[in-house]
Amino acid sequence: MSRQFRIAPSILSANFAKLGQEVIDVIASGTDIIHFDVMDNHYVPNLTIGPLVCESLRPVTDAMIDVHLMVKPVDRIIPDFAKAGANMITFHPEASEHIDRSLALIKESGCKAGLVFNPATSLSYLDHVMDKLDMILLMSVNPGFGGQKFIPETLNKIRAVRERIDASGRDIWLEVDGGVKVDNIAEVARAGADVFVAGSAIYGAGKDTDPNRYDSVVAAMRAELAKVA
Ligand code: DX5
Ligand code: ZN
């Protein structure tokens, strides 16, 4: 059975002066999910966007909004994102005092829930919560900034998580975030990922030269993924 591949543009690299149109255009180019990076200048050394921006974007698209919380503490902000229209909320386990409680809070708020692993975070956090997860997000860069280089060791981690998901028999999505481009997306898919976050690769492509740049880069990514499926 072939896996369904989903492309999730990270709006971190979009033009914030016209964010609504950036979301509409990138979904029209054939992507599936809006990846929404929330940074708090505490858990990570950068500051981005919160529930108000999510609420503003909600009416412009039917696409899933995948909120990646890079914040500490985690719990306080979860209900606000659920009210703002988030569909999926993920958080970093080491940023939560009570992982099981944070997952329950996300579910009670009506959203899908996921855990995020930094490059050096142990997968042992998965041991007791697999039955509560809709997605596992593996960071292939250290969180905080777009445009960083993919850390190759992540490929082994993707394989390990793919095995655990398959063994669980549950339909848990495996998302990879950081440095995913046209030239490595197939390798990431072959290792076992099925959701691909791409910020600078999509929003940064051909900025001044290609008027259809989202279409071009997304088509190129789809062509690479077609070699894997
Ligand atoms: C990094 C963010 C990523 C980032 C990816 O902390 O979580 O989602 O936007 O950007 P690229 O695709 O440029 O590495
Ligand atoms: Zn992210």
Side-chain angles (χ1 to χ4, degrees):
M1 197 181 74
S2 67
R3 271 174 291 142
Q4 186 177 347
F5 295 133
R6 295 177 171 86
I7 298 177
S10 163
I11 55 173
L12 187 61
S13 292
N15 181 344
F16 279 77
K18 49 171 189 167
L19 194 52
Q21 195 58 45
E22 289 277 74
V23 164
I24 291 166
D25 290 349
V26 87
I27 292 294
S29 73
T31 60
D32 306 285
I33 295 170
I34 293 299
H35 185 80
F36 191 107
D37 285 307
V38 184
M39 304 184 187
D40 67 348
N41 191 35
H42 171 68
Y43 176 66
V44 289
N46 200 355
L47 186 65
T48 60
I49 46 180
L52 277 177
V53 176
C54 186
E55 191 181 352
S56 302
L57 290 179
R58 184 64 287 175
V60 314
T61 182
D62 292 331
M64 168 184 262
I65 299 180
D66 162 29
V67 172
H68 174 192
L69 293 180
M70 287 161 274
V71 304
K72 188 176 179 176
V74 172
D75 291 3
R76 202 172 52 214
I77 203 78
I78 287 171
D80 293 351
F81 271 107
K83 275 188 220 112
N87 303 96
M88 170 82 77
I89 301 179
T90 65
F91 65 92
H92 291 247
E94 70 277 21
S96 169
E97 297 288 342
H98 307 284
I99 296 165
D100 185 81
R101 178 180 287 157
S102 301
L103 289 169
L105 189 56
I106 295 172
K107 299 279 205 174
E108 282 159 20
S109 307
C111 297
K112 293 180 184 291
L115 282 187
V116 193
F117 294 84
N118 287 335
T121 304
S122 167
L123 294 176
S124 60
Y125 282 111
L126 289 174
D127 288 351
H128 305 287
V129 295
M130 281 298 271
D131 59 326
K132 310 216 165 69
L133 298 179
D134 299 295
M135 188 162 81
I136 296 166
L137 168 47
L138 293 183
M139 294 304 300
S140 35
V141 297
N142 289 295
F145 303 94
Q148 302 181 79
K149 215 169 143 2
F150 184 91
I151 297 172
E153 168 60 21
T154 313
L155 292 168
N156 286 327
K157 216 168 175 184
I158 299 171
R159 288 184 199 104
V161 172
R162 171 48 55 199
E163 277 180 23
R164 290 182 76 144
I165 291 175
D166 290 349
S168 79
R170 296 192 65 245
D171 179 22
I172 302 173
W173 294 358
L174 174 42
E175 182 174 50
V176 173
D177 183 3
V180 174
K181 316 253 175 236
V182 173
D183 64 9
N184 65 5
I185 196 168
E187 200 179 8
V188 174
R190 261 183 221 111
D194 48 19
V195 184
F196 309 89
V197 176
S200 51
I202 293 180
Y203 279 112
K207 250 188 170 129
D208 304 314
T209 47
D210 181 359
N212 304 312
R213 63 188 205 271
Y214 302 155
D215 296 353
S216 315
V217 70
V218 172
M221 286 179 166
R222 290 275 177 218
E224 286 296 305
L225 290 173
K227 296 178 191 167
V228 180

